[in-house]
């Protein structure tokens, strides 16, 4: 009984990690914790829908895993994926009927759907932990938890497109997204369930999971960008979000180690937690790193495409490649508050040959290239606001140091080469890096 209680507390803490995450990224219109608790309880109770289906509808006619690829895939998609997604989204629709007036922006739909999924997965965690022991805690804390949120968020995205992008989407969009969610859930489980993949199925699952993280990040990003309360003055501090999630998962590792030590000797427990850190640690870093980065551009709907959440950057000077996580970096988030304001650009070098001295500037737009590179279109004045100006681009400095006095962002100043360029992004055809400068408020 004590062990079940301990597993229950750990499952609640795992859920809290991602509840807190949504509270950190919900920057435009905060939601009530009481409503979050209500959604969590509804999600937890939705497991009884699954139990009911198995007891009264699927009893005697259910599929079973038998090693046949089509049979096992159908089992994973329809009997596991579709049933569980139906259960979780049913919990959300009950929440929607009770608290509809509190869903005011796209991220609200994603948050409450995800919290319903967290309630469902928390109950599931207790069952699996009790059955398999503490060694699986960290794996389920990242793979299963985020996987449940992602799958149900696909349905929420259908609702978002129907409500906030209705000119191009009909009710059929919601139905299609439900089918896609069932498929996504089923594929994840199929790799783990299919007997011929018993030895390597986990590897396919991890690779698949990393791709879904990129999709989840875009869904979250689009939801934040299309909030009716959007403001560039509100930023998501990616560094703070990452550190908070990292600390949370360190606590999970600590709890797993103590529970393992309860049943085994010290040497075995250390070896077990070391393997967990190596296996789950990389997945956790990539997941929380990608999900803490956003390209905040008002009204932008980024296209969803399957890709890994990291990229390889070649370093020709050192003949090697460096892995970096995709998404807006820490420095870009601190440039956003300068949007649509006057500010000063001060060259970093005392021997500047381009800006030469501190210049008045005005930030017009933020644009994202096809390669997902973020640029800021600015006017740089010759003297005051009434003087002539030229169009330039700014790009956040990607390497350290990228902040002056740990307070002001540093950006590369890019001269636009075509003379007829305007503040419209399409008019800018060619640009050249000139120097780094720090952005200072007036």
């Amino acid at each position: 009984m004590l062990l079940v209680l301990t597993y229950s507390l750990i499952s609640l803490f795992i859920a809290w990690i991602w509840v807190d995450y949504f509270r950190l990224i919900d920057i435009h219109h905060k939601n009530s914790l009481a409503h979050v608790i209500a959604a969590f309880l509804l999600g937890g109770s939705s497991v009884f829908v699954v139990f009911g289906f198995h007891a009264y509808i699927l009893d005697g006619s259910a599929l079973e895993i038998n090693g046949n690829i089509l049979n096992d895939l159908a089992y994973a998609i329809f009997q596991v994926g579709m049933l569980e997604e139906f259960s979780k989204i049913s919990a959300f629709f009950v929440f929607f009927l009770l608290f509809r007036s509190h869903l005011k922006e796209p991220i609200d739909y994603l948050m409450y759907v995800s919290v319903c999924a967290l309630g469902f997965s928390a109950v599931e965690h207790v069952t699996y932990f009790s059955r398999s022991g503490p060694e699986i805690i960290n794996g389920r804390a990242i793979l299963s938890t985020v996987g449940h949120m992602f799958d149900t968020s696909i349905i929420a995205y259908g609702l978002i497109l129907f409500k906030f992008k209705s000119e191009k989407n009909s009710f059929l969009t919601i139905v299609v997204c439900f089918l896609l969610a069932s498929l996504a859930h089923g594929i994840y489980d199929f790799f783990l369930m299919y007997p011929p993949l018993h030895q390597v199925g986990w590897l396919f699952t991890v690779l698949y999971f990393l791709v879904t993280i990129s999709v989840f990040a875009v869904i979250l990003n689009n939801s934040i960008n299309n909030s009716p309360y959007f403001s560039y003055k509100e930023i998501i501090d990616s560094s703070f979000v990452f550190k908070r999630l990292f600390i949370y998962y360190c606590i999970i590792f600590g709890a797993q180690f103590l529970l393992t030590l309860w049943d085994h000797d010290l040497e075995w427990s250390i070896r077990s937690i070391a393997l967990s850190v190596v296996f789950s640690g990389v997945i956790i870093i990539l997941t929380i790193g990608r999900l803490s980065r956003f390209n905040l551009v008002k009204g932008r709907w980024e296209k969803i495409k399957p890709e890994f959440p990291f990229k390889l950057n070649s370093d020709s000077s050192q003949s090697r490649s460096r892995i970096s996580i995709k998404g807006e970096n820490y420095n870009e988030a601190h440039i956003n508050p300068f949007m649509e304001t006057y500010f000063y650009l001060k060259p970093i070098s005392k021997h500047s040959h381009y800006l030469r001295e501190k210049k008045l500037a005005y930030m017009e737009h933020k644009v994202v290239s096809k390669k997902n590179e973020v640029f800021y279109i600015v006017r740089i004045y010759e003297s005051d606001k009434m003087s002539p100006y030229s169009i330039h681009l700014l790009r956040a400095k990607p390497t350290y140091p990228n902040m002056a006095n740990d307070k002001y962002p540093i950006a590369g100043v890019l001269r636009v080469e075509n003379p007829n360029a305007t503040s419209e992004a399409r008019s800018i055809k060619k640009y050249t890096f000139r120097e780094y400068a720090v952005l200072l408020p007036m």
Side-chain angles (χ1 to χ4, degrees):
M1 185 64 185
L2 178 60
L3 195 58
V4 173
L5 178 60
T6 303
Y7 286 147
S8 298
L9 292 174
I10 291 174
S11 298
L12 287 173
F13 182 74
I14 293 170
W16 169 253
I17 293 175
W18 293 100
V19 167
D20 195 35
Y21 165 78
F22 274 101
R23 289 168 64 81
L24 290 174
I25 70 170
D26 184 15
I27 55 175
H28 300 308
H29 187 267
K30 298 293 184 180
N31 289 288
S32 166
L33 185 59
H35 294 134
V36 172
I37 294 172
F40 181 81
L41 293 175
L42 286 168
S45 64
S46 69
V47 296
F48 293 105
V49 175
V50 176
F51 296 156
F53 264 85
H54 280 286
Y56 300 106
I57 299 176
L58 298 177
D59 184 36
S61 61
L63 293 169
E64 297 289 345
I65 294 291
N66 62 12
N68 178 280
I69 187 170
L70 293 179
N71 174 85
D72 294 355
L73 185 60
Y75 174 88
I77 294 173
F78 297 106
Q79 196 161 312
V80 178
M82 184 171 288
L83 178 54
E84 292 191 4
E85 293 313 311
F86 174 78
S87 301
K88 290 182 288 181
I89 203 62
S90 295
F92 171 74
F93 280 128
V94 172
F95 178 88
F96 180 80
L97 293 174
L98 294 173
F99 305 106
R100 181 175 183 174
S101 61
H102 295 279
L103 279 71
K104 299 181 180 296
E105 54 179 343
I107 194 65
D108 292 343
Y109 287 80
L110 277 180
M111 178 178 182
Y112 289 121
V113 158
S114 295
V115 172
C116 287
L118 289 171
F120 184 98
S121 66
V123 176
E124 199 177 64
H125 288 334
V126 177
T127 303
Y128 279 97
F129 295 161
S130 300
R131 182 189 308 166
S132 303
E135 292 81 8
I136 67 168
I137 287 176
N138 67 84
R140 289 197 61 84
I142 187 67
L143 292 170
S144 300
T145 302
V146 179
H148 269 298
M149 288 195 299
F150 164 72
D151 294 333
T152 317
S153 75
I154 296 175
I155 309 173
Y157 196 56
L159 292 167
I160 290 167
L161 293 174
F162 176 67
K163 181 172 177 60
F164 296 93
K165 204 180 179 185
S166 56
E167 70 280 1
K168 293 184 178 181
N169 296 278
S170 65
F171 182 78
L172 184 60
T173 302
I174 302 173
V175 176
V176 171
C177 285
F178 172 74
L179 296 176
L180 288 174
S182 303
L183 178 64
H185 192 142
I187 291 174
Y188 176 96
D189 284 331
F190 172 75
F191 289 134
L192 296 174
M193 294 176 172
Y194 187 48
L197 294 177
H198 178 69
Q199 297 295 328
V200 295
W202 63 270
L203 178 59
F204 287 107
T205 295
V206 169
L207 294 175
Y208 174 73
F209 173 81
L210 292 176
V211 172
T212 65
I213 288 303
S214 290
V215 176
F216 194 21
V218 173
I219 289 174
L220 289 164
N221 208 145
N222 287 347
S223 299
I224 295 171
N225 282 344
N226 288 277
S227 169
Y229 306 99
F230 186 96
S231 170
Y232 282 109
K233 305 303 178 185
E234 304 288 345
I235 67 170
I236 298 174
D237 190 332
S238 60
S239 178
F240 181 79
V241 175
F242 179 88
K243 289 176 183 176
R244 177 75 69 89
L245 295 178
F246 181 78
I247 291 171
Y248 281 149
Y249 275 99
C250 285
I251 294 172
I252 292 296
F253 277 115
Q256 177 178 323
F257 175 72
L258 292 175
L259 285 170
T260 304
L261 191 60
W262 183 272
D263 289 331
H264 301 86
D265 60 44
L266 180 61
E267 182 181 354
W268 196 96
S269 299
I270 291 175
R271 187 165 59 249
S272 174
I273 199 66
L275 289 172
S276 294
V277 169
V278 171
F279 175 73
S280 299
V282 174
I283 300 171
I284 290 171
I285 294 298
L286 291 174
T287 299
I288 66 178
R290 182 64 185 94
L291 294 182
S292 62
R293 295 184 171 205
F294 300 88
N295 288 326
L296 301 180
V297 182
K298 185 176 182 179
R300 181 175 184 243
W301 293 96
E302 182 181 347
K303 290 183 179 180
I304 294 175
K305 56 183 179 180
E307 60 182 5
F308 288 113
F310 57 86
K311 57 185 177 182
L312 292 175
N313 298 316
S314 59
D315 189 338
S316 56
S317 63
Q318 300 183 29
S319 299
R320 61 186 177 90
S321 296
R322 181 173 60 88
I323 295 178
S324 62
I325 298 174
K326 295 177 180 178
E328 183 175 79
N329 64 34
Y330 173 78
N331 193 25
E332 288 166 352
H334 286 77
I335 294 179
N336 287 344
F338 289 88
M339 280 293 303
E340 300 175 346
T341 63
Y342 287 95
F343 61 97
Y344 291 112
L345 269 177
K346 182 180 179 181
I348 293 295
S349 174
K350 294 181 180 179
H351 307 289
S352 169
H353 296 293
Y354 187 67
L355 291 178
R356 298 182 184 276
E357 59 184 359
K358 184 170 69 174
K359 296 281 190 179
L360 179 67
Y362 180 83
M363 191 172 291
E364 295 260 14
H365 302 295
K366 179 180 180 181
V367 295
V368 182
S369 72
K370 292 181 180 179
K371 296 181 180 179
N372 240 23
E373 298 169 327
V374 178
F375 296 91
Y376 301 84
I377 301 175
V378 300
R379 308 176 204 156
I380 298 181
Y381 292 85
E382 292 182 6
S383 55
D384 57 26
K385 297 178 184 178
M386 302 303 294
S387 65
Y389 63 82
S390 54
I391 298 295
H392 286 70
L393 296 177
L394 296 183
R395 189 176 181 191
K397 189 173 184 287
T399 56
Y400 185 85
N402 54 13
M403 298 288 286
N405 300 322
D406 293 324
K407 188 175 182 180
Y408 304 114
I410 298 172
V413 179
L414 310 175
R415 185 178 71 183
V416 177
E417 299 295 347
N418 46 308
N420 298 323
T422 67
S423 58
E424 290 296 322
R426 292 180 180 179
S427 71
I428 299 174
K429 305 298 183 184
K430 187 178 179 182
Y431 49 84
T432 307
F433 172 81
R434 302 306 299 180
E435 65 179 324
Y436 283 113
V438 59
L439 284 70
L440 300 170
M442 292 187 65

